Amino acid sequence: MISVDEALERILGSVGPLGSETVALSEAAGRILAGDIGAQLFNPAFDVSAMDGYAVRAEDVRPGATLKMIGVSQAGAGFGGTVEPGQCTRIFTGAPVPAGADAVIMQEETRAEGDAVTFERDVAVGRSIRFRGEDFAQGDVLVAAGAMLDPRKIALAAAGNVAEIAVSVRPCVSLLATGDELVAPGGEVGPDQIVASNSVGLGAFFAGHGAQVRDLGIVVDDRAVLGDALARALQGEPDILLTTGGASVGEHDFVQDMLKANGVDIDFWRIAMRPGKPLMFGRKGKTVVFGLPGNPVSALVTARIFVLPALLKMMGAALPAPLYLPLADGLPPNGPRRHFLRGRLVSDAERGTMVEPSRQTDSGHLSSLAAADVLIVQDENCPGKGRGEIVAAHIL
């Protein structure tokens, strides 16, 4: 067995960015930005009012002062003149501040009779004005390369007058489940069969992180059938081929042999971790191959710890950093394999956010993983940890 750190180092050393493509901003949700987005203009493009009221010269306004209203400025139709001493203009939220004016006072602090406006208090220069470029200036970096484009970042790019952007090519991930016992969800389950949840869960996981996912179905435990299925999968040249099941050393575990028979160079196949020891990693041409355990908890844990970093590196995205949080409950001693425990984030009145480890460590207990927020990292040969001690936790 090799260590988790060595396995991750080998995996990341074997992959690199896949390049970029240009897409419309409207199609960029969930994509990874391949280059910085620069603002094409100032925002606001001019000084604008932050509220409905009156644009004034601050030095003219004091309690009881009356100014003459000489015009109106509204969004999309600003006042074209200049505010002179003793004058003001009616102004609405988002409207350009007229030349000569240097403050806006809200209408609730005034009394208007015709074009005579009396003010109840004074006002400071710059009050209720959003100044040109206050949000961002032309040429500013709005979103840095490597960021995943969520609705907020997309809206910011649009405000910067950006219509097309360069994003990383989405890696292609092909999924192949193996096992005589497997039945697709919704199928008729025989007395010795189980529902295949791995491909559905893993497909959702990788699609949620920007991959293009192709489910190649279920293959029975037959050398010839499995070999043919792997040959077809490799001919498609996905960026990542991911198999589940058959990765151990049982009499019906044929995946490693059939991968080798199809020209895959196996780098390693056992890791000192739990859950998920029997994980294979190899390569053929442009395709990196992961052979994950068939157990659903082990498959999802190893996908999170090993496959996701490779996927993100292919897209030029930053690798997810762990959280460091205090334990809400202690951990017992650990053996020679690194343990990834299921955990939930909880709130403590004194310590703030803490992480509560699940007492369920059985790798067949999928519901406890579904209820978890994080994977708590317990290092090899850890003597145990008490409540309040800090641990690393990977967000699921």
Side-chain angles (χ1 to χ4, degrees):
M1 292 188 291
I2 66 172
S3 71
V4 170
D5 295 333
E6 182 180 352
L8 192 55
E9 182 178 355
R10 291 191 193 181
I11 291 168
L12 293 178
S14 70
V15 299
L18 299 179
S20 64
E21 60 183 349
T22 299
V23 301
L25 189 61
S26 60
E27 299 174 357
R31 302 295 295 270
I32 301 297
L33 191 60
D36 294 346
I37 295 177
Q40 304 301 303
L41 43 66
F42 287 81
N43 189 44
F46 41 80
D47 295 350
V48 301
S49 176
M51 63 178 55
D52 294 346
Y54 295 89
V56 299
R57 289 161 28 98
E59 62 183 282
D60 290 344
V61 178
R62 61 188 182 279
T66 299
L67 302 179
K68 181 180 180 181
M69 185 177 67
I70 59 170
V72 177
S73 183
Q74 59 190 43
F79 176 71
T82 299
V83 176
E84 303 288 352
Q87 298 177 338
C88 66
T89 65
R90 185 79 166 95
I91 196 167
F92 296 94
T93 303
V97 177
D102 57 13
V104 172
I105 191 164
M106 68 176 65
Q107 63 188 36
E108 291 84 354
E109 297 177 348
T110 67
R111 299 189 313 274
E113 296 181 8
D115 61 1
V117 183
T118 301
F119 296 85
E120 298 176 352
R121 63 187 63 185
D122 56 13
V123 63
V125 172
R127 180 178 170 185
S128 300
I129 293 177
R130 297 188 179 111
F131 292 98
R132 179 176 187 262
E134 185 176 299
D135 188 8
F136 54 79
Q138 185 174 355
D140 283 354
V141 173
L142 300 179
V143 188
M148 179 172 281
L149 291 161
D150 58 26
R152 294 164 297 158
K153 295 181 179 65
I154 289 173
L156 179 59
N161 201 29
V162 175
E164 292 184 333
I165 54 173
V167 294
S168 298
V169 171
R170 298 174 64 197
C172 297
V173 178
S174 291
L175 305 173
L176 183 68
T178 70
D180 292 338
E181 75 280 14
L182 300 180
V183 177
E188 184 175 344
V189 183
D192 299 319
Q193 294 181 305
I194 60 173
V195 177
S197 62
N198 277 336
S199 292
V200 176
L202 292 169
F205 178 70
F206 293 123
H209 285 91
Q212 301 178 75
V213 177
R214 184 183 180 195
D215 188 347
L216 302 180
I218 300 169
V219 180
V220 296
D221 292 322
D222 179 279
R223 286 182 181 273
V225 175
L226 177 59
D228 288 344
L230 288 171
R232 290 192 300 271
L234 290 164
Q235 285 171 2
E237 294 189 317
D239 299 298
I240 297 174
L241 172 60
L242 195 152
T243 67
T244 54
S248 192
V249 292
E251 293 181 1
H252 300 286
D253 294 326
F254 307 135
V255 172
Q256 184 172 171
D257 288 345
M258 292 301 97
L259 286 172
K260 290 179 178 178
N262 277 285
V264 176
D265 180 21
I266 301 296
D267 188 337
F268 61 82
W269 70 279
R270 289 191 302 172
I271 300 177
M273 65 179 292
R274 60 185 180 120
K277 179 179 74 172
L279 181 142
M280 286 184 291
F281 175 71
R283 187 180 196 102
K284 181 180 181 181
K286 64 165 286 193
T287 302
V288 292
V289 181
F290 291 88
L292 303 189
N295 178 282
V297 170
S298 298
L300 286 165
V301 169
T302 51
R304 170 60 183 84
I305 300 302
F306 299 109
V307 188
L308 179 61
L311 181 78
L312 293 176
K313 187 173 180 182
M314 288 179 175
M315 295 189 291
L319 303 184
L323 303 174
Y324 291 91
L325 298 169
L327 284 166
D329 200 358
L331 295 177
N334 189 30
R337 290 189 284 162
R338 187 171 299 180
H339 196 182
F340 293 89
L341 299 96
R342 284 145 269 188
R344 293 188 312 111
L345 299 179
V346 296
S347 180
D348 181 89
E350 295 182 359
R351 296 179 180 268
T353 301
M354 303 182 75
V355 60
E356 181 179 62
S358 170
R359 292 304 155 197
Q360 182 53 257
T361 59
D362 189 329
S363 59
H365 205 269
L366 189 55
S367 61
S368 61
L369 182 63
D373 302 306
V374 296
L375 292 173
I376 301 169
V377 182
Q378 188 177 20
D379 288 334
E380 301 85 338
N381 301 308
C382 173
K385 285 185 175 290
R387 184 180 188 274
E389 290 193 62
I390 302 297
V391 293
H394 295 290
I395 299 175
L396 285 167

